Each structure stands twice: as structure tokens, then as C-alpha cells.
Amino acid sequence: MFLFDLVHCFIFFASIVAVFSASLPKDYVHLIGFRSNLPEPSQQLLPWNQSVSHCQWKGVTCYSDTTSHVESLNFRDFLLSGTLDKAFPNLCRLPRLVTLDLSGNHFTGGIPAMLANCSQLDTILLNDNRFSGSIPPEIFKSRKLLYLDLGYNQLKGTIPSEVGLSTSLQYLGLWNNFLSGIIPKELFGLPNLTDLYIHTNNLTGPLPDFPSSCSLSQLLIHQNHFSGSLPISLGNCHNLTAFYATSAHLGGVISPEVFRGLNLNFLYLDDNNFEGEIPETLWNGSLQELVLSINKFNGSISEKIGDCHQMTYIDLSVNRLTGQIPKSVGPLTNLNKLLLYDNMLSGSLPAVVGNCTSLVEISLVSNFISGEIPSEICNLQNLQTFNAFKNKIQGQIPECIGRISELQELALYENQLTGKIPPGITNMTKLAFLSLAHNNLTGEVPPDLGKDNSPGLIKVDLGYNNFSGQVPSELCNGNRLTVLALENNSFSGSLPTYLANCKSLYRVKLSNNNLQGSIPDDIEKNENISYLDVRQNMLVGRIPAAFGYWTNLSMIDLSENMFNGSIPAELGKLQNLVRLSISSNRLTGQIPFQLNNSEKLAELDLSNNNLSGNIPKEIASSSVLTNLLLQDNKLSGALPDTFSSSQKLVKLQLGNNFLEGPIPCSLSKLMQPGA
């Protein structure tokens, strides 16, 4: 009886729902059906009220006539979830639905094949979801389909050849999936296709030929695994304005016919295996961005580059280009970036580059460029980055360089520059990176360097020159300085005080100078410095115990100075210490056994001092030590028998001490092959 009543109640409830649904517009019923087949959290994002028209739902657009049929569903960014197999039949019953936008949600499962039944749709946007499986071929049967975007999902398999059935298709997005196989020839043959996005997949094989009636204007095929070169038939795409083929595994010599007749605005062929000369037909007046880097192009840069008056971005870096930088670059007043690094270019930087007043970045790194830096470069008031290191540039840094007030990065190291650093460099208030190392520069560094920098210098590398005078005292203004490299010069005076209070500093290289004075015993704790090299100076006094609290120190080199006193046992607190060198000083006392507490210490050089006492057995038993240099001291006693634990020891120097007794058997084991 109870079951009988329950069935009758269910029938009664169903009849009420049927009557209720019958009283609603059909489009409303189908929308409710779509909603009811979504997970409960997604249903809550689509609230409805029976007293309110369905055309007041957010994301629903209706015709303005009296029938109020649904024309567009746009549920983008609602973060709806779930599969759509059960929900889609309801949508396909909407007779005038032409636009379906479910992009930017969390839908999963396969793309419903029943989309083919929505024959009235001209726009389907399912991108930015989590759809998986293959692309259902049925989806391309509609002759009305204009826009289809399935990008940024997890689709696999091949691109169906049925794509050729969508003869009205104008936009196709299959980007950022896991599609594989070759591109079907039917795809490029679509007569109305203008925008094709198939990048970031696993597509393979050669590119198919383009039809004589190619209508493409945007073609993105980058980040795939194609083979072969660019087909000559690409030249049939006379409307093509943007072609992106970065990291597409293409290669070979590009025929000049490929670009003949094209008026590209954007061409990206970087990170491929193209070789031969850059086709002359490539250069045209409409070109705005050209990126051919990381290939094997050879030959010279054409003078026709000057015809590209709209050019804003040129990247020909990492190739095998030779010859000079064309003087025809002068008229390129819209050029923002000129990247020519890692080639074999020679000659000098042409003075006409000063006419390219929109330049923000110039990179000429690792070439054979010689001559002087033209003073015309000071006309580039928008220049932020000038990198020309690893060349053969001669002469002086232009006196006017301080006029480039926007300059943030100046890297001219490993050249043949002479003369002084122009005092006007202190006018560069935005300068963050300054690298002039490995030149023949002389004189004093402007003492106010860094004083007015805002927000402050980050890296200063002036090593391997002939600078003299004191180390500038304002380099850490702004507390952003991370690298201070002044090694191999003739700087004098004392160590800069900001070594301790510059909390951003992590790498300090002041070796081989004429620095004097002592390091204060109460030097402030600096937890960021990991590399400290002050060897080959004239520093005196005791080694501060406070160094034991610079917790990130991994390398300390205090050798070839005049430090005296004992080695602070506190250095054993440095758990990141890998190398400690205090050789060639005037240290006395015993070797602290606590140094073995530094569990990463691989190199310990205490040679050429006045150390006495025994070799600590704790250090001899280190399991990570590779180099132990204790020669030229006054060590005495027998060798510890704990050397057998030093399995990584490859260099042991104990000469010129007062050691005695037999060589322990444990030490002889280290000499055996495989020990």
C-alpha cells in the first residue's frame, strides 16, 4: 500500500511539473533543461524565477520581436562545470540559437557529438575549459558554422578531415591542446577561413600546400613538431598579415617565392632550423615585427631593411649573420627593439642609429663589432637597455651618455674600451645594471654613482679594469644592490660600510685591489650575502666572529691579506658554507674543530699561516671534504686515523709543518683505486 501511494505521488508530482513546464515558453523550458543537467554548484550560478522572463537571465540574448526566441547564450566566465552530453540536447532545441559561448569555465568530458544537431549555430566557443578526448568529426557538418574555438582544452587525436565540410568557417581555434598527426589538406583549403590558430599542439609532418584562393589573414602554427620548410604556396595567401611559427621544428632554405607578393605585418620564425640567406622578398613596407632568432641564417642583413618604415621590433639574434649593420636602419624612427646578438657581425655601430629615436633596447652582444660608440647614441632619449658586451668596441664611452636619462641597463663588458667613466653617468637616475668589466678603463669611478638613483642600482660590475681611488660609497642607495664586483683593479681605502647594512647584497667580489684597514669586530649581521671574496688586498686585524652569523655564506675567500689572530670557531655555524679560504695571512692558534659542523664544506684552505696544534680528527673525518690544504704552517702531532671517513678527499697538502709519527693505515686507503 505504501509503495502504491508513493508511485501515485510521483505521478502526481510529474504531472504538476508537466503542467508547469507547458505554461512556460518553450525556449525557457529548454534552458531549464540545460540548467538541470549541470552539477548543483553550476545550477546555482544560473538562478531563475518563473515570474521573470528568461531573456533577463545573465548571458541570454533574445530576438527583439514578439516571439522573444533565444538568439545567444554567453556563459563565459561563469565557472560552470560538469559534462555536457545530457545538457546539450536541450540547447539544440532552441530554434534560433546562433551563438553558444561556454568558454572560460570548468567543463569536462568529451565535446558532445550532438553539437552537429545544432545546425543553426554559426558561433561555438568552448575554449578555456577542460574538455578531453578527440574532436568529434560531426561538429564540422554544419554549413552555417562561422566561428569555432576549442582552444585551451585537453583534446587529443588528429584534426578530422571532415573539417573541409565547414565551407563557411572563418575562424578556427584548436590552440593549446594535445592534438597530433598531420594537418589535413582540407584545412588549408577552406575557402573562407581567415583566422587559424593551431599552435601549441603535437602536430607533425610537412605543412600542406596552400590553395591559390587562400584567404588566411592570421596563421598561428607555433610550438608544434612539423618537418620540412615553408611551402612556396604560402605566397598564395595575399591577405596574410600575421604568421607565427616559433618553435615549429621547420627548417631548410626559404625560397624567395614564399614571401613574394605578401604584405606581412608580423612574422615570427624564431627557434627553428632555417638556414641560408634571409630572402630579399621578406622586407616590405608593411612589416612591423620580424623575429628570426635562433636559426642558422647566414649572409648579411639587407639594406632593404630601410624600406620597413613601420618596423617596431627586429630580432635576428642567434644566427650566423655576417657583414655590417646596415646604415639604412637610420630612417626606422618607429623601431623600439633592435636585437642582433650572437651573430658574426663586424664593422662599427652606425651613427645613423641615433635617428631611431623610438629605440628602447639595443642588443649587439657576442659579435665582432669594432670602432667607437657613436656619440649620436645620446640622442636616444627613450633607450632603456644598451647591451654590447663581448665585442671589440674601442675608444671611450661617449661623454654625453648621461643624457640618456631613461637608461636602466648598460652592459659593455669584454670590449677594448679606454678612458674614464664619464661623470655624467650619475645623471642616469634610473640606472639599475652597470657592467663595464674586462676593459681598459682607468681613473676614479664617479664618487656619487648611485646617489641619486631611484629606485637604486641592482648590479655593479667594474672588475678587470684599471680603476683607482676609493670604492663609491653610494652604490647601495635604495637597498637594491645584489652584486658588487670590483675585482682586479687598484681601488684603495677601506671596505665599503654597506657590506653589512645593504640587506639586498648577496655577491661581493673585491679581490686583487689595494684595500686597507680592518673589518670591525662588531660588523652588522647580513643574512643575504652568500659570496664574499676580498683576497689579495692589504686588510689587517682579526677575522670577525660575526661572520659566523652571516647565515647564507657559501664562499669566503680572505686569502693573501694580513689578518692575524685565531680562526673564529663561529665559522662552524655556517651550514651553507662550501668553500673557506684564509691562506697566506698571519693567523695563529689552533684549527677549530667546529669547522666540521659546516656540513657542506668541501674546500678548506688554511695554508701559509702560523697555525699550530694538531689537525682536528673531526675535520679529518669529514665525509664531504674534497680539498684540505694545510701546508706551510706550524702544525704538530700525529696524523689523525680518522681520514678513512674522508671518502671524497682528492687533494690533501700537509707539507712544511712539524707533523710526526707514522702515516696511519686509514690514510693509505685513500690512495687505493676506488677508495
Side-chain angles (χ1 to χ4, degrees), residues 225-257:
H225 298 277
F226 300 119
S227 58
S229 191
L230 297 179
I232 294 177
S233 56
L234 179 63
N236 295 334
C237 303
H238 300 297
N239 296 320
L240 193 63
T241 59
F243 181 37
Y244 293 81
T246 300
S247 303
H249 288 78
L250 297 168
V253 177
I254 301 176
S255 169
E257 300 303 316

mmCIF file of all heavy atoms in Angstrom, residues 225-257:
data_model
loop_
_atom_site.group_PDB
_atom_site.id
_atom_site.type_symbol
_atom_site.label_atom_id
_atom_site.label_comp_id
_atom_site.label_asym_id
_atom_site.label_seq_id
_atom_site.Cartn_x
_atom_site.Cartn_y
_atom_site.Cartn_z
ATOM 1 N N HIS A 225 55.511 20.170 -33.977
ATOM 2 C CA HIS A 225 56.642 19.313 -34.349
ATOM 3 C C HIS A 225 56.606 18.989 -35.846
ATOM 4 O O HIS A 225 56.706 17.834 -36.253
ATOM 5 C CB HIS A 225 56.613 18.019 -33.528
ATOM 6 C CG HIS A 225 56.741 18.243 -32.049
ATOM 7 N ND1 HIS A 225 57.952 18.415 -31.417
ATOM 8 C CD2 HIS A 225 55.804 18.357 -31.078
ATOM 9 C CE1 HIS A 225 57.764 18.607 -30.124
ATOM 10 N NE2 HIS A 225 56.465 18.584 -29.891
ATOM 11 N N PHE A 226 56.484 20.029 -36.646
ATOM 12 C CA PHE A 226 56.429 19.847 -38.089
ATOM 13 C C PHE A 226 57.804 19.460 -38.634
ATOM 14 O O PHE A 226 58.811 19.430 -37.911
ATOM 15 C CB PHE A 226 55.942 21.130 -38.761
ATOM 16 C CG PHE A 226 54.568 21.565 -38.332
ATOM 17 C CD1 PHE A 226 54.349 22.790 -37.716
ATOM 18 C CD2 PHE A 226 53.479 20.736 -38.533
ATOM 19 C CE1 PHE A 226 53.092 23.187 -37.315
ATOM 20 C CE2 PHE A 226 52.203 21.122 -38.136
ATOM 21 C CZ PHE A 226 52.012 22.347 -37.529
ATOM 22 N N SER A 227 57.854 19.189 -39.910
ATOM 23 C CA SER A 227 59.107 18.913 -40.609
ATOM 24 C C SER A 227 59.090 19.653 -41.937
ATOM 25 O O SER A 227 58.065 20.191 -42.358
ATOM 26 C CB SER A 227 59.274 17.404 -40.834
ATOM 27 O OG SER A 227 58.178 16.878 -41.576
ATOM 28 N N GLY A 228 60.257 19.694 -42.594
ATOM 29 C CA GLY A 228 60.333 20.373 -43.880
ATOM 30 C C GLY A 228 60.432 21.879 -43.726
ATOM 31 O O GLY A 228 60.644 22.405 -42.626
ATOM 32 N N SER A 229 60.273 22.567 -44.833
ATOM 33 C CA SER A 229 60.395 24.020 -44.842
ATOM 34 C C SER A 229 59.051 24.660 -45.151
ATOM 35 O O SER A 229 58.016 23.986 -45.183
ATOM 36 C CB SER A 229 61.442 24.451 -45.869
ATOM 37 O OG SER A 229 61.766 25.821 -45.718
ATOM 38 N N LEU A 230 59.077 25.957 -45.381
ATOM 39 C CA LEU A 230 57.843 26.662 -45.734
ATOM 40 C C LEU A 230 57.506 26.388 -47.184
ATOM 41 O O LEU A 230 58.348 26.569 -48.071
ATOM 42 C CB LEU A 230 58.011 28.168 -45.519
ATOM 43 C CG LEU A 230 58.285 28.637 -44.090
ATOM 44 C CD1 LEU A 230 58.456 30.153 -44.063
ATOM 45 C CD2 LEU A 230 57.163 28.218 -43.153
ATOM 46 N N PRO A 231 56.282 25.932 -47.483
ATOM 47 C CA PRO A 231 55.912 25.688 -48.883
ATOM 48 C C PRO A 231 55.829 26.994 -49.671
ATOM 49 O O PRO A 231 55.402 28.029 -49.141
ATOM 50 C CB PRO A 231 54.542 25.012 -48.772
ATOM 51 C CG PRO A 231 54.000 25.427 -47.445
ATOM 52 C CD PRO A 231 55.189 25.610 -46.546
ATOM 53 N N ILE A 232 56.257 26.932 -50.910
ATOM 54 C CA ILE A 232 56.202 28.121 -51.774
ATOM 55 C C ILE A 232 54.774 28.640 -51.884
ATOM 56 O O ILE A 232 54.544 29.850 -52.002
ATOM 57 C CB ILE A 232 56.780 27.786 -53.163
ATOM 58 C CG1 ILE A 232 58.277 27.482 -53.039
ATOM 59 C CG2 ILE A 232 56.544 28.921 -54.148
ATOM 60 C CD1 ILE A 232 58.926 27.076 -54.350
ATOM 61 N N SER A 233 53.809 27.706 -51.798
ATOM 62 C CA SER A 233 52.408 28.099 -51.954
ATOM 63 C C SER A 233 51.919 29.026 -50.845
ATOM 64 O O SER A 233 50.827 29.588 -50.953
ATOM 65 C CB SER A 233 51.520 26.848 -52.004
ATOM 66 O OG SER A 233 51.712 26.049 -50.847
ATOM 67 N N LEU A 234 52.719 29.214 -49.762
ATOM 68 C CA LEU A 234 52.337 30.200 -48.754
ATOM 69 C C LEU A 234 52.190 31.580 -49.387
ATOM 70 O O LEU A 234 51.407 32.416 -48.923
ATOM 71 C CB LEU A 234 53.382 30.241 -47.631
ATOM 72 C CG LEU A 234 53.147 31.237 -46.498
ATOM 73 C CD1 LEU A 234 51.865 30.910 -45.734
ATOM 74 C CD2 LEU A 234 54.334 31.278 -45.540
ATOM 75 N N GLY A 235 52.908 31.785 -50.479
ATOM 76 C CA GLY A 235 52.817 33.055 -51.190
ATOM 77 C C GLY A 235 51.460 33.307 -51.808
ATOM 78 O O GLY A 235 51.185 34.427 -52.275
ATOM 79 N N ASN A 236 50.585 32.270 -51.837
ATOM 80 C CA ASN A 236 49.222 32.463 -52.352
ATOM 81 C C ASN A 236 48.334 33.215 -51.362
ATOM 82 O O ASN A 236 47.261 33.689 -51.735
ATOM 83 C CB ASN A 236 48.576 31.106 -52.658
ATOM 84 C CG ASN A 236 49.278 30.370 -53.785
ATOM 85 O OD1 ASN A 236 49.898 30.990 -54.651
ATOM 86 N ND2 ASN A 236 49.187 29.049 -53.783
ATOM 87 N N CYS A 237 48.782 33.300 -50.107
ATOM 88 C CA CYS A 237 47.951 33.921 -49.071
ATOM 89 C C CYS A 237 48.200 35.427 -49.067
ATOM 90 O O CYS A 237 48.849 35.977 -48.150
ATOM 91 C CB CYS A 237 48.260 33.299 -47.709
ATOM 92 S SG CYS A 237 48.030 31.507 -47.648
ATOM 93 N N HIS A 238 47.666 36.102 -50.065
ATOM 94 C CA HIS A 238 47.962 37.528 -50.260
ATOM 95 C C HIS A 238 47.375 38.416 -49.172
ATOM 96 O O HIS A 238 47.792 39.572 -49.026
ATOM 97 C CB HIS A 238 47.432 37.974 -51.628
ATOM 98 C CG HIS A 238 48.048 37.227 -52.773
ATOM 99 N ND1 HIS A 238 49.388 37.294 -53.066
ATOM 100 C CD2 HIS A 238 47.497 36.373 -53.678
ATOM 101 C CE1 HIS A 238 49.652 36.531 -54.118
ATOM 102 N NE2 HIS A 238 48.522 35.952 -54.503
ATOM 103 N N ASN A 239 46.414 37.870 -48.390
ATOM 104 C CA ASN A 239 45.820 38.668 -47.316
ATOM 105 C C ASN A 239 46.493 38.424 -45.971
ATOM 106 O O ASN A 239 46.087 39.006 -44.966
ATOM 107 C CB ASN A 239 44.327 38.348 -47.187
ATOM 108 C CG ASN A 239 43.553 38.727 -48.429
ATOM 109 O OD1 ASN A 239 43.806 39.772 -49.033
ATOM 110 N ND2 ASN A 239 42.611 37.883 -48.829
ATOM 111 N N LEU A 240 47.514 37.574 -45.962
ATOM 112 C CA LEU A 240 48.147 37.194 -44.706
ATOM 113 C C LEU A 240 48.882 38.385 -44.090
ATOM 114 O O LEU A 240 49.772 38.971 -44.704
ATOM 115 C CB LEU A 240 49.124 36.037 -44.947
ATOM 116 C CG LEU A 240 49.640 35.310 -43.704
ATOM 117 C CD1 LEU A 240 48.496 34.636 -42.959
ATOM 118 C CD2 LEU A 240 50.697 34.275 -44.089
ATOM 119 N N THR A 241 48.513 38.713 -42.866
ATOM 120 C CA THR A 241 49.165 39.824 -42.161
ATOM 121 C C THR A 241 49.992 39.345 -40.977
ATOM 122 O O THR A 241 50.932 40.032 -40.578
ATOM 123 C CB THR A 241 48.128 40.836 -41.661
ATOM 124 O OG1 THR A 241 47.204 40.184 -40.776
ATOM 125 C CG2 THR A 241 47.366 41.458 -42.826
ATOM 126 N N ALA A 242 49.645 38.188 -40.391
ATOM 127 C CA ALA A 242 50.357 37.684 -39.220
ATOM 128 C C ALA A 242 50.630 36.199 -39.387
ATOM 129 O O ALA A 242 49.701 35.408 -39.591
ATOM 130 C CB ALA A 242 49.549 37.925 -37.954
ATOM 131 N N PHE A 243 51.905 35.818 -39.308
ATOM 132 C CA PHE A 243 52.305 34.414 -39.413
ATOM 133 C C PHE A 243 53.268 34.117 -38.266
ATOM 134 O O PHE A 243 54.358 34.665 -38.182
ATOM 135 C CB PHE A 243 52.970 34.152 -40.770
ATOM 136 C CG PHE A 243 53.395 32.715 -40.969
ATOM 137 C CD1 PHE A 243 52.630 31.673 -40.484
ATOM 138 C CD2 PHE A 243 54.571 32.418 -41.645
ATOM 139 C CE1 PHE A 243 53.010 30.350 -40.668
ATOM 140 C CE2 PHE A 243 54.963 31.100 -41.855
ATOM 141 C CZ PHE A 243 54.179 30.075 -41.348
ATOM 142 N N TYR A 244 52.835 33.231 -37.348
ATOM 143 C CA TYR A 244 53.631 32.864 -36.181
ATOM 144 C C TYR A 244 53.992 31.382 -36.274
ATOM 145 O O TYR A 244 53.112 30.513 -36.237
ATOM 146 C CB TYR A 244 52.853 33.119 -34.889
ATOM 147 C CG TYR A 244 52.592 34.580 -34.608
ATOM 148 C CD1 TYR A 244 51.539 35.255 -35.224
ATOM 149 C CD2 TYR A 244 53.397 35.289 -33.723
ATOM 150 C CE1 TYR A 244 51.300 36.596 -34.960
ATOM 151 C CE2 TYR A 244 53.166 36.631 -33.448
ATOM 152 C CZ TYR A 244 52.114 37.275 -34.075
ATOM 153 O OH TYR A 244 51.873 38.605 -33.812
ATOM 154 N N ALA A 245 55.293 31.095 -36.387
ATOM 155 C CA ALA A 245 55.757 29.710 -36.497
ATOM 156 C C ALA A 245 56.942 29.464 -35.568
ATOM 157 O O ALA A 245 57.840 28.690 -35.873
ATOM 158 C CB ALA A 245 56.126 29.381 -37.937
ATOM 159 N N THR A 246 56.953 30.104 -34.420
ATOM 160 C CA THR A 246 58.008 29.910 -33.430
ATOM 161 C C THR A 246 58.045 28.458 -32.956
ATOM 162 O O THR A 246 57.000 27.848 -32.720
ATOM 163 C CB THR A 246 57.763 30.837 -32.219
ATOM 164 O OG1 THR A 246 57.763 32.185 -32.651
ATOM 165 C CG2 THR A 246 58.810 30.627 -31.153
ATOM 166 N N SER A 247 59.249 27.898 -32.838
ATOM 167 C CA SER A 247 59.435 26.540 -32.281
ATOM 168 C C SER A 247 58.522 25.524 -32.957
ATOM 169 O O SER A 247 57.865 24.716 -32.303
ATOM 170 C CB SER A 247 59.180 26.544 -30.761
ATOM 171 O OG SER A 247 60.005 27.458 -30.104
ATOM 172 N N ALA A 248 58.501 25.574 -34.274
ATOM 173 C CA ALA A 248 57.639 24.667 -35.031
ATOM 174 C C ALA A 248 58.420 23.526 -35.655
ATOM 175 O O ALA A 248 57.845 22.698 -36.371
ATOM 176 C CB ALA A 248 56.891 25.432 -36.117
ATOM 177 N N HIS A 249 59.742 23.454 -35.432
ATOM 178 C CA HIS A 249 60.618 22.418 -35.982
ATOM 179 C C HIS A 249 60.691 22.448 -37.500
ATOM 180 O O HIS A 249 60.921 21.422 -38.136
ATOM 181 C CB HIS A 249 60.182 21.032 -35.503
ATOM 182 C CG HIS A 249 60.477 20.772 -34.055
ATOM 183 N ND1 HIS A 249 59.702 21.290 -33.037
ATOM 184 C CD2 HIS A 249 61.462 20.063 -33.448
ATOM 185 C CE1 HIS A 249 60.200 20.902 -31.869
ATOM 186 N NE2 HIS A 249 61.276 20.174 -32.091
ATOM 187 N N LEU A 250 60.488 23.611 -38.063
ATOM 188 C CA LEU A 250 60.660 23.772 -39.505
ATOM 189 C C LEU A 250 62.128 24.077 -39.794
ATOM 190 O O LEU A 250 62.901 24.403 -38.893
ATOM 191 C CB LEU A 250 59.768 24.899 -40.008
ATOM 192 C CG LEU A 250 58.259 24.669 -39.852
ATOM 193 C CD1 LEU A 250 57.485 25.951 -40.095
ATOM 194 C CD2 LEU A 250 57.791 23.568 -40.809
ATOM 195 N N GLY A 251 62.533 23.977 -41.050
ATOM 196 C CA GLY A 251 63.932 24.225 -41.375
ATOM 197 C C GLY A 251 64.172 24.324 -42.858
ATOM 198 O O GLY A 251 63.247 24.476 -43.659
ATOM 199 N N GLY A 252 65.460 24.234 -43.232
ATOM 200 C CA GLY A 252 65.836 24.321 -44.636
ATOM 201 C C GLY A 252 65.946 25.755 -45.122
ATOM 202 O O GLY A 252 65.798 26.717 -44.371
ATOM 203 N N VAL A 253 66.210 25.873 -46.403
ATOM 204 C CA VAL A 253 66.333 27.185 -47.046
ATOM 205 C C VAL A 253 64.947 27.669 -47.461
ATOM 206 O O VAL A 253 64.153 26.911 -48.022
ATOM 207 C CB VAL A 253 67.258 27.106 -48.269
ATOM 208 C CG1 VAL A 253 67.327 28.443 -48.991
ATOM 209 C CG2 VAL A 253 68.653 26.648 -47.842
ATOM 210 N N ILE A 254 64.654 28.923 -47.172
ATOM 211 C CA ILE A 254 63.356 29.501 -47.532
ATOM 212 C C ILE A 254 63.462 30.095 -48.933
ATOM 213 O O ILE A 254 64.310 30.954 -49.192
ATOM 214 C CB ILE A 254 62.933 30.588 -46.532
ATOM 215 C CG1 ILE A 254 62.843 30.005 -45.120
ATOM 216 C CG2 ILE A 254 61.598 31.196 -46.934
ATOM 217 C CD1 ILE A 254 62.512 31.031 -44.048
ATOM 218 N N SER A 255 62.597 29.640 -49.815
ATOM 219 C CA SER A 255 62.590 30.170 -51.179
ATOM 220 C C SER A 255 62.114 31.625 -51.182
ATOM 221 O O SER A 255 61.180 31.980 -50.449
ATOM 222 C CB SER A 255 61.666 29.333 -52.064
ATOM 223 O OG SER A 255 61.445 29.964 -53.312
ATOM 224 N N PRO A 256 62.724 32.474 -51.996
ATOM 225 C CA PRO A 256 62.258 33.866 -52.097
ATOM 226 C C PRO A 256 60.801 33.974 -52.513
ATOM 227 O O PRO A 256 60.132 34.964 -52.205
ATOM 228 C CB PRO A 256 63.184 34.481 -53.147
ATOM 229 C CG PRO A 256 64.393 33.610 -53.155
ATOM 230 C CD PRO A 256 63.911 32.231 -52.834
ATOM 231 N N GLU A 257 60.294 32.936 -53.222
ATOM 232 C CA GLU A 257 58.911 32.974 -53.708
ATOM 233 C C GLU A 257 57.903 32.903 -52.567
ATOM 234 O O GLU A 257 56.742 33.276 -52.748
ATOM 235 C CB GLU A 257 58.672 31.824 -54.686
ATOM 236 C CG GLU A 257 59.565 31.851 -55.914
ATOM 237 C CD GLU A 257 59.426 33.158 -56.681
ATOM 238 O OE1 GLU A 257 58.278 33.618 -56.857
ATOM 239 O OE2 GLU A 257 60.462 33.728 -57.082
#
